[in-house]
Amino acid sequence: GETSPQSEQLATGLSAVQPTSAMANDGAHGEWSGALAVSPMSDTTLKLAGLRGATTCAANTTPAIQAAVRDLIDALVEENGLSPQQIVSVTFSVTADLDACFPAAMARQRPGWDGVALLDCQQMAVQGDLERCIRVLAHVWMPPQRKPIHPYRGEAQRLRPDRSRHN
């Protein structure tokens, strides 16, 4: 497909991100949708990475879910050195026993997160699965040399002992 001068400018310095015909174009002004974590004139190269993580809640209450989401997202952001501009999207999945509130609504309250695409969904029910669990999948722009850190908190450390710092 054809690229506009704007799309070529957006790709400057982002060797891991090249415009393609599959990228969303609003057509009206030739502008590409989506978020970039660097200035178009930057020479910084970033790659799109998927970060996983999970935590558990003490109870099915709004305060307990809010505290668990805050702890999980704080760990995800701090341990990976992320700014809100680097976060493209976050999907939360929750076990069926958590229905007091929406985790994405909690995350949406974070400063600078008004441009982050957020989604809640229910985790697939599997017999014997961890109770009161919130899982997260975040798509973020990161320097290619930075090793992603996937935070597993509380009882969710059992889900991925290989990613737990407590082993």
Side-chain angles (χ1 to χ4, degrees):
E2 256 182 68
T3 58
S4 68
Q6 291 90 349
S7 65
E8 290 174 16
Q9 182 182 13
L10 288 175
T12 303
L14 294 174
S15 62
V17 180
Q18 296 297 324
T20 69
S21 59
M23 295 176 95
N25 183 323
D26 73 1
H29 303 289
E31 297 175 36
W32 295 93
S33 64
L36 294 178
V38 295
S39 161
M41 302 314 279
S42 172
D43 60 357
T44 303
T45 301
L46 299 174
K47 69 174 183 173
L48 186 61
L51 300 176
R52 291 296 319 264
T55 192
T56 50
C57 289
N60 181 30
T61 65
T62 297
I65 294 170
Q66 186 172 25
V69 168
R70 183 182 312 111
D71 178 64
L72 179 58
I73 296 303
D74 283 351
L76 187 86
V77 167
E78 291 167 13
E79 292 176 16
N80 287 288
L82 299 171
S83 69
Q85 295 76 25
Q86 289 173 269
I87 305 168
V88 177
S89 66
V90 180
T91 301
F92 294 92
S93 69
V94 298
T95 49
D97 53 2
L98 291 177
D99 61 3
C101 65
F102 295 104
M106 305 298 169
R108 194 169 285 114
Q109 297 171 8
R110 296 177 71 90
W113 279 53
D114 53 329
V116 177
L118 299 168
L119 177 68
D120 289 308
C121 60
Q122 191 172 81
Q123 180 69 26
M124 186 177 118
V126 175
Q127 193 172 33
D129 194 12
L130 192 57
E131 295 179 350
R132 295 183 312 277
C133 186
I134 300 172
R135 293 170 171 88
V136 67
L137 170 62
H139 293 98
V140 303
W141 292 109
M142 293 180 68
Q145 67 276 10
R146 183 164 193 134
K147 183 179 178 190
I149 298 172
H150 308 275
Y152 284 80
R153 319 285 281 182
E155 291 297 313
Q157 293 174 34
R158 295 185 325 189
L159 297 172
R160 292 298 304 261
D162 58 318
R163 292 184 172 168
S164 170
R165 293 184 176 196
H166 302 287
N167 290 333

